[in-house]
């Protein structure tokens, strides 16, 4: 975590994070123009932030887009928050909230984490029902071939739809599929209210992509969930669900155990999609 604190200590780097929080997925040129900083300075700051895992980058054609990554702040809050005094804890909580707040001008949710495992083991954890049931509480019935349909089962409710499909499947490297259909059966199983279900059902179907990159004894996992309409209800729900789910996945692969169950919240339909 020393890299995170060093990265956050510089006001220029904090300005970059603020800019990405306001509008995620910017190019180097856009960041330079918005902050009125020299290209070389911005490049150096971005390298420090990326080394600290506070940002992650994705290639889209010839462009390199920069996204906030909340994983290091989640790690601080979830694992070491008790080591800091109340004021520092409040500052970290504010930063964690800022990094996880959906940016106004970009709908993509991007999250990068590093897991001490192998690409083969991580692929199994993403596709094998014996794994997904443990950390996700869901399982998928499909042959994981590109174009194949998927049946989702979560808390006893099975969701099928011709548009629930595998979009891309490159074992141990990349997996992409469309998100599930929001049905009354699914909503009842997870405690989503009728008004929230109506809002979800009216939105376009989103998709999730897992990019797997081996790095020595570690594997870099980048999750990109996109395809949301502006002001999407589903976008706000997955924003909170993915960090907890991926933390559970990381802990399971590294320790064989799951994170402790959080205190139950009243069923309001928020925080799950």
């Amino acid at each position: 975590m020393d890299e995170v604190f060093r990265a956050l200590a510089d006001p220029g780097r904090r300005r970059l994070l603020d800019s990405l929080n306001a509008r995620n997925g910017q190019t180097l040129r856009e960041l330079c123009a918005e902050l009125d900083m020299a290209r070389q300075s911005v490049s150096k700051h971005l390298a420090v932030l990326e080394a600290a895992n506070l940002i992650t980058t994705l290639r889209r054609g010839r462009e390199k887009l920069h996204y906030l990554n909340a994983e290091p702040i989640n790690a601080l809050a979830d694992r070491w928050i008790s080591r800091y005094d109340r004021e520092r804890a409040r500052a970290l909580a504010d930063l964690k909230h800022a990094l996880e707040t959906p940016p106004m001008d970009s709908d993509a949710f991007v999250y990068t984490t590093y897991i001490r495992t192998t690409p083969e083991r991580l692929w199994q954890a993403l596709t094998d029902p014996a794994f997904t049931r443990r950390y996700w509480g869901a399982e998928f019935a499909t042959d994981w071939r590109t174009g194949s349909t998927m049946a989702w089962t979560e808390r006893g409710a099975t969701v099928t739809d011709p548009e629930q499909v595998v979009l891309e499947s490159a074992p141990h490297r990349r997996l992409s599929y469309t998100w599930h259909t929001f049905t009354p059966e699914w909503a009842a199983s997870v405690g989503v209210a009728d008004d929230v279900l109506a809002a979800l059902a009216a939105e376009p179907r989103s998709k999730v992509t897992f990019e797997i990159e081996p790095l020595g004894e570690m594997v870099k996992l980048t999750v990109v969930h996109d395809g949301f309409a502006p002001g999407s209800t589903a976008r706000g729900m997955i924003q909170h669900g993915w960090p907890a789910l991926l933390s559970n996945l990381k802990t399971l692969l590294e320790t064989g155990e799951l994170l402790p169950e959080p205190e139950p919240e009243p069923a309001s339909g928020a925080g799950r999609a």
Side-chain angles (χ1 to χ4, degrees):
M1 288 296 104
D2 289 346
E3 295 88 350
V4 175
F5 286 112
R6 281 196 292 267
L8 295 174
D10 184 273
R13 291 193 281 272
R14 293 198 297 271
R15 287 176 61 200
L16 282 170
L17 292 177
D18 287 339
S19 178
L20 290 174
N21 184 58
R23 185 166 65 88
N24 219 358
Q26 295 188 58
T27 63
L28 174 60
R29 177 178 54 80
E30 290 171 328
L31 288 167
C32 292
E34 182 168 331
L35 299 179
D36 193 24
M37 294 173 64
R39 185 182 183 91
Q40 185 176 11
S41 297
V42 174
S43 295
K44 289 181 178 179
H45 285 319
L46 289 173
V48 173
L49 291 170
E50 189 168 6
N53 201 24
L54 285 164
I55 65 170
T56 191
T57 60
L58 293 174
R59 287 282 182 184
R60 289 294 181 266
R62 296 182 178 180
E63 293 186 325
K64 184 178 182 181
L65 305 181
H66 301 80
Y67 292 87
L68 284 173
N69 182 39
E71 196 275 340
I73 305 303
N74 280 323
L76 285 171
D78 293 341
R79 302 179 187 180
W80 294 288
I81 198 72
S82 61
R83 298 186 183 185
Y84 301 94
D85 61 43
R86 181 173 299 177
E87 291 306 311
R88 293 188 70 184
R90 182 178 296 116
L92 284 173
D94 290 343
L95 178 58
K96 178 175 182 285
H97 174 74
L99 290 178
E100 292 187 352
T101 298
M104 294 178 62
D105 299 321
S106 177
D107 64 5
F109 174 84
V110 182
Y111 195 98
T112 297
T113 186
Y114 294 82
I115 306 174
R116 191 174 298 278
T117 189
T118 64
E120 294 78 11
R121 188 69 167 164
L122 179 52
W123 180 268
Q124 183 184 13
L126 293 173
T127 59
D128 187 340
F131 265 97
T132 59
R133 277 195 300 268
R134 291 195 65 189
Y135 69 88
W136 195 328
E139 59 185 89
F140 316 106
T142 181
D143 59 12
W144 295 111
R145 295 179 180 177
T146 300
S148 294
T149 57
M150 304 172 64
W152 291 55
T153 299
E154 185 175 3
R155 298 193 181 184
T158 298
V159 180
T160 59
D161 191 282
E163 294 186 7
Q164 287 176 194
V165 296
V166 179
L167 298 172
E168 185 176 354
S169 182
H172 318 143
R173 294 188 294 113
R174 184 178 171 90
L175 178 65
S176 180
Y177 50 82
T178 56
W179 205 239
H180 67 79
T181 307
F182 299 112
T183 66
E185 294 76 16
W186 168 83
S189 71
V190 298
V192 168
D194 290 344
D195 58 335
V196 177
L197 173 62
L200 291 169
E203 296 178 358
R205 188 184 301 273
S206 61
K207 72 179 190 303
V208 63
T209 302
F210 303 89
E211 298 183 358
I212 300 170
E213 180 183 349
L215 295 172
E217 296 182 354
M218 309 286 288
V219 175
K220 178 183 177 182
L221 172 64
T222 300
V223 178
V224 181
H225 196 153
D226 58 5
F228 301 101
S232 166
T233 298
R235 176 62 171 80
M237 294 169 72
I238 63 95
Q239 179 75 25
H240 302 289
W242 274 122
L245 190 153
L246 294 171
S247 292
N248 226 5
L249 169 62
K250 174 181 171 70
T251 302
L252 177 61
L253 285 172
E254 293 185 343
T255 71
E257 302 294 333
L258 297 174
L259 291 171
E261 285 288 335
E263 292 295 324
E265 299 180 359
S268 62
R272 192 183 188 98

